[in-house]
Amino acid sequence: MKTALSVFVFMILFLSCKDESNVQKPKSGNEHLIVMPGIGTEKFVVGKTKIKNIITELGKPEKFTQGIIDYRNKEAAFTNSYYYTKYGMTFGTETLESKGQDIENAIIRVIIFDENSNAKTLEGLAMDGIAGKINYVYGKQDEDRTPRSDLPYFHYRKKGLTVKINPETKKVSEFEIYEPHE
């Protein structure tokens, strides 16, 4: 009986210590997922991480959509969006492959963190944080994007960051991370 109990305890300990992958999944709960404008996260880097690695790590997305960037161009790129609502993350890719997901070659071009993500930027701007802190942390938004009360977005293209504000609560509701550009 003692031997059977020892084997049972050993099996429980062995299985609980097993590492399922070499990439950490986004954390939930009280611990924040750190977002780096223009980069993404420590594990999911915009412009470098392939969507196949994300699918391997996080599993099949809850939803997949595809759209065309330019309808006039016969070689137009398709934008694919992979929704991971459980983690509050959406990954966007661009591909010339028109029949669906180009999982082998597609590299993420944008990561959107929504209210479910518990995300926080390195500079301390947190999801569901106070919107008034945005200008303090990142300065004035891009000149060509006139701030209007009916457009709840703050664009910082040179930093690779767009912040969406919930117009009702006046709190941060989304971070969009992409490669910085002019």
Side-chain angles (χ1 to χ4, degrees):
M1 183 71 168
K2 217 180 206 184
T3 305
L5 183 59
S6 296
V7 170
F8 178 72
V9 169
F10 176 74
M11 293 285 286
I12 299 269
L13 288 173
F14 177 75
L15 292 174
S16 66
C17 294
K18 182 179 152 189
D19 184 26
E20 293 183 8
S21 77
N22 59 355
V23 181
Q24 292 179 347
K25 292 185 180 181
K27 296 186 170 55
S28 60
N30 293 333
E31 200 169 326
H32 286 283
L33 175 64
I34 301 299
V35 174
M36 296 170 271
I39 297 171
T41 70
E42 184 179 316
K43 300 296 178 181
F44 304 128
V45 179
V46 173
K48 294 183 181 176
T49 303
K50 290 186 176 186
I51 196 66
K52 74 176 186 178
N53 297 345
I54 293 169
I55 291 171
T56 300
E57 173 58 26
L58 300 179
K60 186 178 176 182
E62 286 95 13
K63 182 179 174 187
F64 169 78
T65 61
Q66 182 180 39
I68 298 175
I69 293 175
D70 184 356
Y71 291 104
R72 297 171 298 211
N73 183 352
K74 291 185 181 182
E75 295 179 12
F78 289 82
T79 58
N80 294 332
S81 296
Y82 302 81
Y83 298 88
Y84 289 90
T85 55
K86 176 180 177 183
Y87 300 112
M89 299 168 74
T90 301
F91 297 94
T93 65
E94 294 176 7
T95 179
L96 297 176
E97 196 256 323
S98 65
K99 294 183 175 132
Q101 305 174 44
D102 181 12
I103 294 172
E104 289 300 315
N105 301 311
I107 295 174
I108 58 172
R109 297 289 176 211
V110 65
I111 306 173
I112 300 171
F113 301 88
D114 65 27
E115 294 166 329
N116 294 333
S117 69
N118 201 21
K120 180 179 184 178
T121 66
L122 279 175
E123 296 81 9
L125 187 61
M127 194 64 62
D128 206 29
I130 300 168
K133 194 174 177 182
I134 297 170
N135 286 335
Y136 176 75
V137 173
Y138 293 106
K140 291 179 88 178
Q141 68 172 316
D142 293 346
E143 290 285 325
D144 61 340
R145 305 288 184 158
T146 306
R148 295 179 17 203
S149 60
D150 60 333
L151 296 175
Y153 292 93
F154 287 77
H155 301 279
Y156 300 95
R157 289 189 312 252
K158 291 178 184 174
K159 291 180 177 24
L161 173 70
T162 296
V163 180
K164 181 180 177 185
I165 305 303
N166 182 324
E168 294 172 9
T169 64
K170 306 290 188 225
K171 293 189 176 191
V172 176
S173 64
E174 187 176 281
F175 294 124
E176 185 174 325
I177 307 300
Y178 44 86
E179 290 181 325
H181 62 281
E182 291 294 319

